[in-house]
Amino acid sequence: MLTRMAYLEMLATALGRFIINPVVYTTLLLAVLLGYRRVKRERSHFHIRIQHGATEVKSAIKESLGYALIVSFITVGAGLVVPTTFLLYVTFATFVLSLTFVVASLSPMYTVALALGSMALVNWQQWPTYLGDGVITGALVPIVLVTGLALIIEGTLIRKTYAHGLTPVLQKTKRGLHAIVYRLRKIWLLPIAIVVPSGPLQAVLPYWPQFTLGASDFSIVLVPLVIGTAMTSRRRMPTDVFNGYGKAVVTLGVLLVASAVIVYYVPAMFYVVIGIGVVLRMALSIVFVWRERADSYAVAPSAKGIMIAAVLPDSPAERMGLQLGECIVKVNGQPVTNEDELYEALQINAAYCKLEVMDYRQEVRQTQQAIFAEDHYRIGILAADPHGRRR
């Protein structure tokens, strides 16, 4: 049995090894780059950044840590033993895909497929390697289960956190007008606890803590699971696109978890299941991208009022509950269609602002908010007009 002190020692050691893993730093570097590109684009199109440049770095771990704990509890609690060699190949695959800066390639389905393909190629060519013998025969079901769980987390993160990192982009239509496209480029880093056989690990790290179950020795390691996503919303509202996309990825994860039963009884179906998973994951991305390629825009300038492209954080507009895609029809009882009219209407009552807003379903509602003296000329929205100036 593993004593309490040995258990704590194992966790501390695993955390230390996680921190020095190069994938952690390439992921954070990629998050920094994504934030830099987003802010640069926002300043170019709207002359202001919507969210802080460090948003992607902070959310990379903060948004996913809870899910990492859930997956770790399942993998360790269920005793899903994954070969150390496979984890090394996954780490290598993640590192390589991160260097391409193609965020969408960092779906767990692609990472696992690349790792398995690399292992098969090395074994086939009998190339010398320090990553182990590549035998995963006894871990086919755990690999399928862990991959399915990772996909479920990916879809859930897309649905729950897409708003952080979503940025509006001005785009010219075929008629020469300007409309809004929303781009999402996000990355998450999850420290996942995985049970591995102690044999290969002890050969490399003889002082690594281990515990015994039956006649076999095992250890716990923290593996950096990296999840990336990229999608664009144009024809439909971002809420509809990213909720639907996230649900589809979650469904694929559930199907993959269920397919572990097939692999359990027919191990030869392992690579078939993984291959189908890759094809379906690619198909999901293609279908959702294709749906948004139509020359129509959910958010575009409107003659009815001022169309909201984005709402700045911690602004009067956010406190009033304004949402992107809504159209401000009246301010303090006055119809508004441009910046000058908005400014003049705000002066009617410099201490209080009453808005009449129409959402994208053409339903009208009213909202109001006290305006501080320094905010009387700006309520915190970006409008969908050719100049993209701050309102």
Side-chain angles (χ1 to χ4, degrees), residues 350-362:
Y352 211 76
C353 179
K354 184 177 182 180
L355 302 182
E356 187 172 302
V357 182
M358 180 172 62
D359 63 22
Y360 66 96
R361 296 186 180 89
Q362 307 300 308

Side-chain angles (χ1 to χ4, degrees), residues 221-390:
V221 296
L222 276 182
V223 179
L225 172 63
V226 180
I227 298 177
T229 189
M231 184 57 62
T232 298
S233 165
R234 177 167 68 177
R235 188 176 65 85
R236 295 176 295 162
M237 293 296 295
T239 301
D240 297 331
V241 173
F242 295 108
N243 270 329
Y245 187 47
K247 286 181 180 179
V249 175
V250 169
T251 301
L252 176 58
V254 172
L255 291 176
L256 198 62
V257 169
S259 67
V261 177
I262 299 175
V263 175
Y264 178 79
Y265 288 103
V266 188
M269 291 295 293
F270 172 75
Y271 286 102
V272 175
V273 167
I274 295 297
I276 292 175
V278 172
V279 171
L280 291 179
R281 183 64 186 85
M282 294 178 63
L284 286 179
S285 296
I286 294 172
V287 167
F288 275 84
V289 168
W290 180 79
R291 285 180 180 178
E292 297 303 305
R293 291 180 64 85
D295 190 35
S296 61
Y297 297 82
V299 179
S302 172
K304 297 179 182 179
I306 298 175
M307 183 68 70
I308 301 175
V311 177
L312 300 182
D314 302 319
S315 65
E318 185 180 61
R319 291 190 289 272
M320 282 187 281
L322 299 184
Q323 302 290 329
L324 61 87
E326 292 185 324
C327 184
I328 300 176
V329 179
K330 292 182 180 180
V331 177
N332 291 329
Q334 299 296 312
V336 293
T337 58
N338 55 54
E339 180 180 10
D340 292 335
E341 292 175 355
L342 174 65
Y343 177 80
E344 293 172 0
L346 285 173
Q347 305 310 303
I348 295 176
N349 188 344
Y352 211 76
C353 179
K354 184 177 182 180
L355 302 182
E356 187 172 302
V357 182
M358 180 172 62
D359 63 22
Y360 66 96
R361 296 186 180 89
Q362 307 300 308
E363 297 177 355
V364 178
R365 64 184 177 87
Q366 291 186 343
T367 183
Q368 51 192 5
Q369 174 71 37
I371 304 296
F372 298 106
E374 64 272 17
D375 290 333
H376 74 280
Y377 61 93
R378 57 181 175 86
I379 60 176
I381 68 167
L382 298 181
D385 63 37
H387 305 290
R389 286 175 291 187
R390 189 175 179 176

Side-chain angles (χ1 to χ4, degrees), residues 84-318:
T84 306
T85 301
F86 172 72
L87 295 180
L88 291 174
Y89 273 93
V90 168
T91 300
F92 175 76
T94 303
F95 181 77
V96 171
L97 292 175
S98 297
L99 294 180
T100 66
F101 297 105
V102 180
V103 182
S105 68
L106 288 169
S107 169
M109 195 72 254
Y110 303 143
T111 306
V112 169
L114 179 58
L116 292 172
S118 300
M119 293 175 68
L121 179 61
V122 169
N123 291 336
W124 176 48
Q125 294 293 334
Q126 297 184 346
W127 290 335
T129 175
Y130 296 100
L131 299 181
D133 56 15
V135 177
I136 58 172
T137 306
L140 302 183
V141 173
I143 290 175
V144 172
L145 289 174
V146 171
T147 305
L149 289 173
L151 281 176
I152 293 174
I153 297 303
E154 178 188 1
T156 304
L157 284 170
I158 293 173
R159 291 186 60 199
K160 300 296 185 181
T161 67
Y162 73 87
H164 299 139
L166 187 69
T167 184
V169 178
L170 282 174
Q171 188 173 88
K172 275 192 176 182
T173 67
K174 291 183 178 179
R175 298 180 180 180
L177 303 175
H178 283 79
I180 300 296
V181 169
Y182 293 93
R183 290 181 181 174
L184 178 67
R185 303 289 187 274
K186 289 206 67 173
I187 192 168
W188 297 280
L189 178 64
L190 293 78
I192 304 297
I194 298 289
V195 179
V196 299
S198 288
L201 189 63
Q202 291 298 117
V204 180
L205 301 171
Y207 298 104
W208 191 280
Q210 60 182 348
F211 61 94
T212 302
L213 289 176
S216 301
D217 294 329
F218 300 94
S219 299
I220 296 177
V221 296
L222 276 182
V223 179
L225 172 63
V226 180
I227 298 177
T229 189
M231 184 57 62
T232 298
S233 165
R234 177 167 68 177
R235 188 176 65 85
R236 295 176 295 162
M237 293 296 295
T239 301
D240 297 331
V241 173
F242 295 108
N243 270 329
Y245 187 47
K247 286 181 180 179
V249 175
V250 169
T251 301
L252 176 58
V254 172
L255 291 176
L256 198 62
V257 169
S259 67
V261 177
I262 299 175
V263 175
Y264 178 79
Y265 288 103
V266 188
M269 291 295 293
F270 172 75
Y271 286 102
V272 175
V273 167
I274 295 297
I276 292 175
V278 172
V279 171
L280 291 179
R281 183 64 186 85
M282 294 178 63
L284 286 179
S285 296
I286 294 172
V287 167
F288 275 84
V289 168
W290 180 79
R291 285 180 180 178
E292 297 303 305
R293 291 180 64 85
D295 190 35
S296 61
Y297 297 82
V299 179
S302 172
K304 297 179 182 179
I306 298 175
M307 183 68 70
I308 301 175
V311 177
L312 300 182
D314 302 319
S315 65
E318 185 180 61

